[in-house]
């Protein structure tokens, strides 16, 4: 059983737990942490979700991420998810990209960027979570983003980051 802290829309803990898979009441949120991974050469890491995943099975997503566990803060959750899904140790090198609430998902999303010299062939897949990875050049990444091929509302969450890449 996976436990999450319950938050209000302002990101304040409500003092009770949520259980993954159970309905989240209106006005209650859980924390989701995401990491966009960019190599020092400028390429971006995409991870393919397992076919076993309930949400967006088999889809490619930008970087790694998932729900923060009970007691985790956003940075700790992001580092753990990144390590579990890719094998990459961020070692405190994450830069915050966004924090936004998504009412429909009952989630407060925290997004980070990691620019790393991690070996491209050093990605470790997590059984049941990730099944493949690939690196995209900046141009390929922008095309992937523009075509809306990332999972769910990820495009919306990354809009400011991508606009910044384009100088807009």
């Amino acid at each position: 059983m996976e436990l999450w802290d319950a938050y209000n829309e302002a990101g304040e803990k409500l003092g009770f737990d949520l259980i993954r898979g159970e309905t989240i009441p209106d006005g209650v949120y859980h924390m989701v942490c995401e990491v966009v991974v960019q190599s020092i050469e400028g390429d971006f890491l995409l991870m393919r979700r397992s076919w076993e995943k309930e949400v967006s099975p088999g889809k490619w997503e930008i970087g790694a991420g998932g729900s923060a566990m009970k007691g985790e803060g956003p940075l700790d959750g992001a580092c753990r998810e990144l390590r579990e899904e890719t094998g990459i140790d961020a070692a405190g090198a994450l830069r915050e990209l966004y924090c936004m609430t998504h009412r429909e998902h009952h989630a407060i999303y925290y997004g980070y960027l990691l620019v790393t010299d991690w070996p491209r062939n050093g990605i470790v897949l997590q059984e049941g979570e990730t099944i493949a990875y690939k690196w995209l050049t900046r141009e390929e990444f922008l095309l992937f983003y523009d075509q809306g091929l990332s999972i769910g509302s990820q495009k919306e969450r990354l809009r400011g980051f991508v606009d910044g890449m384009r100088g807009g």
Side-chain angles (χ1 to χ4, degrees), residues 45-119:
L45 178 65
L46 265 63
M47 301 299 297
R48 190 164 193 187
R49 295 169 63 84
S50 169
W51 290 103
E52 300 167 20
K53 297 292 288 177
E54 184 178 321
V55 177
S56 302
K59 296 270 188 178
W60 289 94
E61 67 182 306
I62 298 167
S67 296
M69 304 300 241
K70 178 177 175 54
E72 277 186 325
L75 195 57
D76 292 335
C79 288
R80 178 187 50 77
E81 286 288 344
L82 180 65
R83 189 175 47 257
E84 287 177 356
E85 294 184 5
T86 68
I88 296 174
D89 184 359
L94 300 181
R95 187 183 101 213
E96 188 170 335
L97 292 177
Y98 57 83
C99 175
M100 64 179 55
T101 301
H102 194 292
R103 286 186 181 96
E104 184 181 326
H105 295 170
H106 293 275
I108 301 173
Y109 288 92
Y110 288 86
Y112 297 92
L113 173 66
L114 173 66
V115 178
T116 182
D117 61 355
W118 195 265

